[in-house]
Amino acid sequence: MEDRVLTKLEYHRILQFLTDCADTATGKELAAAARPLTAAYAINLALDETGQAKELLRLHPTFSLGGVHDLRPLEKKAALGGVIEAPEFLLLLDTLRAAGRIREFFQDTTLPFPALREMSEGLHPLPRLEAAIAKAITGEGEVADRATPELAKLRARLRALRGKAKEKLEAMVRNPEIGKYLQDPIVSIRGDRYVLPVRLEYRQQVPGIVHDQSGSGATIFVEPLPVVEINQETRQCELLERAEVIRVLRQLTEQTAACGDELALTREGLTRLDFALAKGKLSARGDWGRPAINEAGRIFLRQARHPLIRGRVVPVTVELGRDFDAIVVTGPNTGGKTALLKTIGLLTLMAQAGLYVPAEDGTELAVFQRVYADIGDEQSIEQSLSTFSAHMTNIIAITAQADSESLVLLDELGAGTDPAEGAALAMAVIEHLVAAGAKLVATTHYSELKSFAASHARAENASVEFDPVSLRPTYRLMMGIPGRSNAFEISLRLGLDPGIVESAKAFQSQEAARTARLISDLETNQILTEKERREATVLRKQAAGALAWIEKKKEDARQRAAKILEDAREEALELLAEARKESDGWLKEIRKMRKAGLQNIQAGDEQAAIKVKEDLRRQENKLYERLERQAGAGAGAAADWEPAPGDLVYLRRLRQKGQVLGRANSQDEVPVLAGVMRLTVSRRDLELLTEEKPEYGEGRRDRGGHDRGLAASGHAGLGAGKARTISPELHLRGKYLEDALEEAEKYLDDAYLAGLAQVRIIHGKGTGALRKAIREMAAKHPLVSGARPGGYDEGGEGVTVLEMRK
């Protein structure tokens, strides 16, 4: 990409915005030097970085590269054998800590930022160097006393010496004999020496070394002889302390130099990360979007805006490279033709640089190896070239180099010379560039080019709209419609004599007049079509909204009806369960009274209670069957579904979810895992789960105000609870006959609710009385479809195997 073209398309201004978004000096340099890439895979990687950075800043708005400094001067000084100063080590320490914090942040592999994480992996932790700097350098940028034992000792000696010298001088200040010779009763410092301010006329009365004199000359600063020796010793100690400080800094510098490679990689990783974040910030500020990238030369800008135009911008939608390779744009001056060229060119460059673009979703841009632009006034006084000559110089170079991987943008093609010859040259240039495979957008005022584009198989007309009433451009781009100059209309509106306008029309050739009328008709039809399209879009949206409202009302009604039916089912099951519970209580009470020896309890009473209980069970079983038939009828095409292992299903009887474990057997029964229970369920009782079932029991109350949700009470809740706890066998050995029968009946109820297809009752052999009673009870029980003795490996006659009704 030529720098001249980048400048014409104002790409450098985008880079300035990008540079302002970077935080570090190296990041700013990388942003300022960014150039469009020419490989699709590299462009997509760069766009990935931009998108991830934009999302990172959205999810973590406080994320920053705070604390990162430019380490190149330090690295250079260390590599050349110099000594890094203490304040500079603070910059290095801040950067190492920031790099560690950033690297730790991206260690979370659940974050959706793989490209940024890859950059963070280049940040090398240097804990030993970091610890050494933190120990040796204070937060104020000084070498700490703790850096070495020798330094700590020297500084302690210095403090003692300075304190001793100051004490002597303060004693002299307080001495009346000496105090009267002083300008002020204070101890001062000159050149790292403690001194006294002595009046000039008393110089001889305070013997010592003069270090300075006041501006007026009335005061001299004297180091008295009693403290000269102490100050000399202090000076010696200071030199030793300075030498020890330099030794500490040199050691840290050498340690830093040894980590030069890691520091360079860390700097590079931080620079790349800062550059990516700058791209993300720039895209977020303008709410720009990611364009699709292709290598087929296709451009489709949907509602695109020029990123450098402030205020209200009319977006443009333009397509190139699919059905045609050249667009000829016509229309009045100041109508936006040049802005269109720059928008297409600049957005292409931005996308190839890995930047998002100001356009809506669906925008697609091609990868071009070269972008050529001849835009604006190319007149050159220095080279004595006219505007036409300068334009032709550019076009000669473009036609010599452009190929199928080139985008060419030409403004006012053929202008600046005789219109007939200019139009002919323009048509020849377009023909040549299209034949070379280049993608071309050219603006012009020549009517001949409109006809040329209309008749060329790979060219298309376009125009910028102009309102002849308001005499203002609308800046709307109309594809497929050539533009008009509107010279006659504009002249009349501005006040030109209508007679002159009519004379001008008479001078216009019949062909030109026909062309103008055709263009006018096309433009009018285009405007009407666009208006009708917008109205149709509004009507379509209204119809879709009305349809959605109707569908929602239908769904609400269906759900309300289902809820009413479900409430009725729940209430019926609850009433039956309560009645059965009450009958069980009567029977239990009768048997308890008989055990107690009450003579007034007759055997007929017990038989009557058993009969009531059996009637209730039969009614309950009929109700279950009826509810199942209704559920099966509501399932629609569920019966045509063939269960497969792994399918998620809804068990209608238990009203809970499960997972299919295998194929249906010959009896059309399917093994299902519900909770922790493995069940065998009839296929007609299963429904393939395509969406979440409603939580029927949640928040539901019975007539007494008590919660009867699935987990609390009612048939479904009880079934779900039993499915998690019930065993497929019951042990009755050693129990009294009546107690065993009562426990067996309760167990069969639970087994049925849990959906068990088969259970085993272990009663033992013994006298055979319990075995006989269990099998007689099973033969009459409404929930049992069959009973058989246990097989050889099931316990033989000591076990009865019961098949539960489906």
Side-chain angles (χ1 to χ4, degrees):
M1 304 289 180
E2 296 180 4
D3 288 339
R4 185 187 64 84
V5 173
L6 300 182
T7 301
K8 279 289 180 185
L9 296 175
E10 299 181 280
Y11 176 74
H12 63 285
R13 293 183 60 189
I14 297 297
L15 292 188
Q16 184 57 57
F17 292 153
L18 183 62
T19 302
D20 293 341
C21 291
D23 291 327
T24 67
T26 53
K28 289 180 181 294
E29 291 175 9
L30 187 58
R35 290 294 180 269
L37 305 169
T38 54
Y41 76 91
I43 295 170
N44 279 311
L45 286 177
L47 289 171
D48 288 344
E49 295 173 2
T50 304
Q52 291 174 30
K54 183 179 179 183
E55 182 68 5
L56 169 64
L57 294 171
R58 186 186 69 83
L59 296 176
H60 304 275
T62 60
F63 183 89
S64 72
L65 298 186
V68 175
H69 303 282
D70 187 0
L71 301 182
R72 289 173 296 179
L74 282 69
E75 295 176 54
K76 184 177 181 180
K77 187 182 290 187
L80 295 176
V83 176
I84 300 174
E85 297 295 331
E88 295 175 316
F89 274 114
L90 280 186
L91 302 180
L92 176 56
L93 182 60
D94 287 346
T95 302
L96 290 176
R97 287 174 173 170
R101 169 178 54 80
I102 293 167
R103 180 182 173 88
E104 183 179 359
F105 175 84
F106 285 109
Q107 290 303 304
D108 184 357
T109 56
T110 62
L111 294 174
F113 314 122
L116 304 184
R117 184 180 302 112
E118 184 270 331
M119 295 178 193
S120 73
E121 290 171 357
L123 310 182
H124 288 262
L126 298 170
R128 292 180 61 186
L129 178 59
E130 189 176 327
I133 296 173
K135 177 185 176 184
I137 309 297
T138 68
E140 292 74 31
E142 301 287 342
V143 177
D145 294 356
R146 63 179 179 272
T148 66
E150 181 63 22
L151 184 59
K153 187 189 301 181
L154 287 170
R155 286 187 173 169
R157 177 63 178 158
L158 270 175
R159 285 190 290 270
L161 290 171
R162 287 168 179 160
K164 184 177 178 181
K166 193 173 182 181
E167 285 176 7
K168 278 186 174 292
L169 290 174
E170 287 175 346
M172 294 177 71
V173 169
R174 291 192 297 270
N175 187 339
E177 291 298 323
I178 298 176
K180 61 186 179 182
Y181 304 130
L182 302 180
Q183 188 72 35
D184 295 299
I186 60 173
V187 176
S188 185
I189 297 177
R190 288 295 186 273
D192 295 331
R193 299 278 185 144
Y194 286 111
V195 296
L196 295 176
V198 180
R199 296 177 185 175
L200 181 60
E201 62 268 26
Y202 298 121
R203 166 71 183 85
Q204 300 303 321
Q205 277 70 27
V206 184
I209 302 172
V210 177
H211 285 280
D212 200 1
Q213 188 172 8
S214 68
S216 64
T219 304
I220 58 174
F221 296 92
V222 178
E223 180 184 9
L225 290 177
V227 297
V228 169
E229 185 176 348
I230 298 174
N231 281 340
Q232 283 294 98
E233 187 176 352
T234 301
R235 181 59 180 160
Q236 297 269 344
C237 194
E238 287 174 346
L239 292 173
L240 292 174
E241 184 259 355
R242 179 58 186 163
E244 185 64 14
V245 166
I246 292 175
R247 191 177 71 83
V248 170
L249 294 176
R250 186 172 295 280
Q251 285 180 346
L252 282 178
T253 301
E254 291 172 353
Q255 191 172 349
T256 301
C259 300
D261 292 342
E262 291 84 354
L263 286 174
L265 291 172
T266 297
R267 171 169 44 79
E268 181 182 348
L270 291 171
T271 300
R272 290 179 58 205
L273 191 57
D274 188 26
F275 178 55
L277 290 173
K279 294 191 294 179
K281 289 176 190 175
L282 183 61
S283 299
R285 286 179 185 177
D287 193 24
W288 298 347
R290 176 170 182 160
I293 299 298
N294 70 79
E295 296 181 274
R298 294 191 307 272
I299 293 176
F300 179 62
L301 296 179
R302 184 191 296 274
Q303 296 293 292
R305 305 174 305 281
H306 195 289
L308 301 177
I309 299 178
R310 300 302 178 203
R312 181 177 176 271
V313 178
V314 178
V316 296
T317 297
V318 60
E319 183 176 4
L320 177 66
R322 187 184 300 275
D323 299 324
F324 44 85
D325 297 323
I327 301 176
V328 175
V329 186
T330 50
N333 290 327
T334 72
K337 299 191 300 297
T338 303
L340 172 66
L341 293 182
K342 289 188 173 182
T343 299
I344 295 172
L346 184 55
L347 266 57
T348 296
L349 298 177
M350 289 172 61
Q352 292 192 212
L355 298 174
Y356 279 19
V357 298
E360 291 188 0
D361 290 344
T363 290
E364 186 175 5
L365 288 165
V367 180
F368 293 106
Q369 299 299 312
R370 288 160 296 279
V371 175
Y372 299 103
D374 182 62
I375 298 175
D377 187 1
E378 296 286 344
Q379 187 173 23
S380 173
I381 297 176
E382 291 182 359
Q383 299 180 24
S384 299
L385 294 177
S386 68
T387 300
F388 175 76
S389 299
H391 277 298
M392 286 310 301
T393 300
N394 291 335
I395 290 172
I396 290 169
I398 292 171
T399 54
Q401 301 173 37
D403 56 18
S404 60
E405 295 182 315
S406 301
L407 172 64
V408 181
L409 307 170
L410 302 177
D411 194 20
E412 299 295 348
L413 181 59
T417 186
D418 177 77
E421 293 181 355
L425 276 173
M427 287 187 282
V429 168
I430 293 173
E431 182 74 36
H432 174 84
L433 291 173
V434 170
K439 302 301 176 283
L440 168 68
V441 183
T443 68
T444 183
H445 283 286
Y446 292 144
S447 297
E448 292 86 347
L449 290 186
K450 303 172 189 179
S451 302
F452 174 79
S455 62
H456 198 288
R458 297 301 298 175
E460 181 64 281
N461 273 302
S463 61
V464 288
E465 190 180 50
F466 188 86
D467 186 350
V469 176
S470 65
L471 301 183
R472 293 180 179 276
T474 66
Y475 302 107
R476 290 179 61 245
L477 179 69
M478 298 188 296
M479 294 296 298
I481 304 295
R484 293 187 297 154
S485 66
N486 297 288
F488 296 151
E489 291 85 349
I490 294 174
S491 299
L492 284 170
R493 292 286 298 174
L494 291 175
L496 185 64
D497 188 327
I500 297 176
V501 174
E502 289 302 318
S503 296
K505 290 181 179 180
F507 284 122
Q508 189 180 29
S509 68
Q510 291 185 358
E511 182 63 28
R514 263 198 312 274
T515 301
R517 285 195 299 273
L518 175 61
I519 293 174
S520 178
D521 293 342
L522 286 172
E523 190 174 282
T524 301
N525 291 335
Q526 175 78 2
I527 293 171
L528 291 174
T529 302
E530 182 67 18
K531 181 181 178 182
E532 291 173 356
R533 187 189 65 78
R534 288 196 298 267
E535 291 174 352
T537 300
V538 172
L539 290 173
R540 230 179 2 254
K541 288 181 179 179
Q542 291 175 349
L547 181 60
W549 181 83
I550 292 170
E551 291 296 330
K552 184 177 185 303
K553 291 297 181 184
K554 285 173 60 179
E555 179 63 19
D556 290 345
R558 187 192 65 77
Q559 290 184 2
R560 282 198 300 271
K563 185 176 183 299
I564 292 170
L565 179 61
E566 187 60 34
D567 287 345
R569 290 174 180 171
E570 287 281 346
E571 190 168 351
L573 289 172
E574 186 177 278
L575 289 173
L576 274 176
E578 289 175 357
R580 183 163 53 80
K581 183 178 179 181
E582 189 174 349
S583 71
D584 287 345
W586 293 343
L587 183 58
K588 187 174 183 180
E589 188 65 29
I590 290 171
R591 288 173 175 171
K592 187 185 296 183
M593 293 172 68
R594 288 191 63 188
K595 283 184 183 179
L598 296 179
Q599 300 300 322
N600 58 341
I601 300 300
Q602 303 296 323
D605 295 334
E606 182 178 352
Q607 293 301 321
I610 291 173
K611 186 175 183 305
V612 169
K613 181 177 178 179
E614 290 177 350
D615 288 343
L616 286 171
R617 287 192 182 279
R618 281 193 292 273
Q619 292 178 34
E620 187 176 1
N621 196 40
K622 289 179 181 178
L623 180 59
Y624 285 152
E625 291 176 354
R626 207 160 106 199
L627 294 180
E628 288 169 3
R629 285 196 300 273
Q630 290 176 353
D640 297 332
W641 158 66
E642 186 64 34
D647 286 347
L648 292 178
V649 294
Y650 180 65
L651 286 71
R652 296 196 190 98
R653 178 179 296 182
L654 299 184
R655 293 178 55 205
Q656 70 177 60
K657 290 186 287 188
Q659 186 175 19
V660 175
L661 299 177
R663 300 285 182 181
N665 59 21
S666 57
Q667 285 79 38
D668 210 21
E669 297 171 333
V670 181
V672 176
L673 182 67
V676 297
M677 291 299 300
R678 181 187 177 104
L679 311 173
T680 302
V681 183
S682 173
R683 187 165 72 93
R684 65 187 179 88
D685 291 335
L686 297 179
E687 180 181 344
L688 180 64
L689 271 183
T690 56
E691 59 182 13
E692 289 293 324
K693 283 285 178 183
E695 297 293 338
Y696 290 102
E698 184 177 351
R700 192 167 289 185
R701 302 275 173 178
D702 63 17
R703 288 173 296 176
H706 303 293
D707 185 4
R708 62 182 184 90
L710 290 179
S713 63
H715 177 290
L718 182 60
K722 295 301 178 184
R724 290 191 292 268
T725 59
I726 193 168
S727 169
E729 60 185 26
L730 174 66
H731 294 264
L732 297 177
R733 286 179 297 185
K735 296 192 176 184
Y736 289 110
L737 179 62
E738 292 180 353
D739 294 338
L741 287 174
E742 184 178 345
E743 187 172 345
E745 289 198 5
K746 184 177 182 305
Y747 171 76
L748 291 177
D749 290 342
D750 292 344
Y752 179 79
L753 289 175
L756 297 182
Q758 177 181 282
V759 297
R760 298 189 304 278
I761 296 182
I762 303 172
H763 41 65
K765 297 178 181 178
T767 62
L770 181 56
R771 176 182 65 229
K772 180 180 178 184
I774 290 293
R775 292 180 181 175
E776 288 177 354
M777 180 270 293
K780 301 175 183 179
H781 202 288
L783 302 180
V784 178
S785 62
R788 63 174 176 83
Y792 176 76
D793 56 346
E794 292 177 315
E797 287 296 326
V799 173
T800 297
V801 179
L802 306 180
E803 301 290 336
M804 304 300 294
R805 290 190 183 278
K806 297 181 175 58

